[in-house]
Amino acid sequence: MLLRDKNYAARSNFLWTDLPGSAANLSQLAPHLRTAQDTLIDWCTDGAAVLARAVPSADADACLAETHAAMADPNAGISMTYWDAQGHHHTPATPDRLGETEAKVLDLHTRLSAAQRVIFAPAIIDFLTDVFQDDAVAFQCLYFEYGSQQGCHQDTAFVYVQPPHQLVASWVALEDVVPGSGELFYYPGSQKLGDLIFAGGTKALLGGDPDADTYSTQLEQLAEKSGLQRKLLHIAKGDALMWAADLMHGGAPIQARHTRRSLVTHYCPKNAIVPYVAHTGKEIRQVCPRGWVVGAN
């Protein structure tokens, strides 16, 4: 795994907020943006920003209700992944498996109207289109009942878009985050570090890569060496954390058995390329003004 300086000369490979000097230029762009300037300064600086009360409580409740109803319906076609002693599983989603290791329910955004209202809540779609300067496509969505406890990672290693940096994620709290519940952690400013290049010569961490087993540990060491501070996410129901493609983040250990219900979504601009869409011929569809969806599952 190599650390290579980001090539900002190739400006079209980045979102405008990734580029050096973006925070300083905000005042010039402010009349054309819907998101508060302070929020965008946080984003340009930290690679993360919290949108307080982005999702109405009623929509968060409706999303939870529709999610659990769909999992109880064997004909709903909802799937999930999780780990256990036998390995990794991809199965029909059922409520009894939500407590398994790294259990996540997949792609509710293509099936549930309440999930679409959550991921494209007005404050979220405004933020996305400000950053993308384009319509937003939600191409992956993950529901978590409990904290993931996933090791430190960058989305560019596992979530593929072309160009790789044209990716934004949202993490919406569907209930208040309780301390000790396996909170999401992240390293503000880590998106500005160089590009991590793996054995295949790209930012994608593919199966069999010699750094796969130590990847998370190496990231934590890089963050420490760079003087970055880990931050735990404690936000209220309806708040949304937005993060950049290369932000280092993960799930803290669960210390108290409490749910940590959340909906994570990965988005890209409409003009970017999602490899699985290009390979399968799936078509994006519009579900709201400026908001589109497509799903692999």
Side-chain angles (χ1 to χ4, degrees), residues 139 160-164 166 268-279:
F139 64 91
Y160 307 135
V161 174
Q162 291 296 331
Q166 295 199 11
C268 66
K270 190 166 176 277
N271 63 9
I273 298 172
V274 180
Y276 80 72
V277 174
H279 294 158

Side-chain angles (χ1 to χ4, degrees), residues 152 213-222:
C152 187
D213 291 342
T214 59
Y215 167 64
S216 292
T217 300
Q218 290 187 68
L219 274 191
E220 298 268 15
Q221 291 171 346
L222 177 59

Side-chain angles (χ1 to χ4, degrees), residues 28-57:
Q28 302 172 25
L29 298 171
H32 309 289
L33 302 173
R34 299 177 175 88
T35 304
Q37 189 168 335
D38 287 350
T39 300
L40 289 171
I41 289 174
D42 288 346
W43 174 258
C44 294
T45 304
D46 294 341
V50 173
L51 306 180
R53 299 177 296 281
V55 176
S57 181

Side-chain angles (χ1 to χ4, degrees), residues 4-293:
R4 186 177 68 191
D5 289 344
K6 284 183 163 63
N7 180 20
Y8 290 119
R11 295 174 67 89
S12 62
N13 288 341
F14 296 88
L15 301 174
W16 70 270
T17 50
D18 294 327
L19 298 173
S22 56
N25 295 329
L26 271 173
S27 59
Q28 302 172 25
L29 298 171
H32 309 289
L33 302 173
R34 299 177 175 88
T35 304
Q37 189 168 335
D38 287 350
T39 300
L40 289 171
I41 289 174
D42 288 346
W43 174 258
C44 294
T45 304
D46 294 341
V50 173
L51 306 180
R53 299 177 296 281
V55 176
S57 181
D59 285 344
D61 291 341
C63 184
L64 283 174
E66 287 191 15
T67 298
H68 283 266
M71 285 191 291
D73 179 0
N75 298 315
I78 303 294
S79 62
M80 69 185 300
T81 61
Y82 64 93
W83 290 84
D84 64 13
Q86 282 70 50
H88 190 248
H89 303 272
H90 187 159
T91 67
T94 57
D96 61 296
R97 294 194 178 106
L98 288 174
E100 298 286 356
T101 301
E102 289 189 34
K104 60 194 76 167
V105 181
L106 308 176
D107 287 352
L108 299 176
H109 69 300
T110 62
R111 294 173 170 84
L112 304 184
S113 59
Q116 292 168 3
R117 293 197 301 275
V118 167
I119 68 170
F120 288 129
I124 294 176
I125 193 66
D126 284 349
F127 179 91
L128 291 168
T129 52
D130 281 346
V131 171
F132 289 155
Q133 292 294 290
D134 193 4
D135 284 6
V137 177
F139 64 91
Q140 186 184 64
C141 187
L142 310 169
Y143 169 75
F144 294 89
E145 183 85 354
Y146 295 95
S148 69
Q149 302 187 91
Q150 187 175 2
C152 187
H153 64 283
Q154 295 173 311
D155 283 346
T156 47
F158 304 107
V159 185
Y160 307 135
V161 174
Q162 291 296 331
H165 295 102
Q166 295 199 11
L167 163 71
V168 170
S170 69
W171 193 103
V172 177
L174 299 178
E175 62 181 355
D176 293 347
V177 177
V178 174
S181 60
E183 302 96 314
L184 184 140
F185 68 81
Y186 61 101
Y187 288 92
S190 57
Q191 84 286 357
K192 295 183 178 181
L193 299 179
D195 285 326
L196 291 174
I197 306 301
F198 296 99
T202 72
K203 290 173 66 65
L205 179 56
L206 304 177
D209 190 287
D211 287 303
D213 291 342
T214 59
Y215 167 64
S216 292
T217 300
Q218 290 187 68
L219 274 191
E220 298 268 15
Q221 291 171 346
L222 177 59
E224 182 178 357
K225 181 180 178 181
S226 302
L228 300 175
Q229 300 297 312
R230 177 191 279 213
K231 186 172 184 178
L232 283 179
L233 183 68
H234 293 121
I235 57 176
K237 178 180 177 180
D239 293 349
L241 175 73
M242 313 298 293
W243 71 72
D246 267 351
L247 186 80
M248 296 180 184
H249 64 283
I254 295 175
Q255 298 173 336
R257 192 60 173 173
H258 193 286
T259 57
R260 197 211 63 177
R261 298 183 175 109
S262 59
L263 194 65
V264 176
T265 309
H266 295 117
Y267 312 84
C268 66
K270 190 166 176 277
N271 63 9
I273 298 172
V274 180
Y276 80 72
V277 174
H279 294 158
T280 62
K282 290 178 178 286
E283 295 185 359
I284 65 172
R285 59 186 174 90
Q286 191 166 18
V287 296
C288 68
R290 300 178 285 149
W292 302 70
V293 300

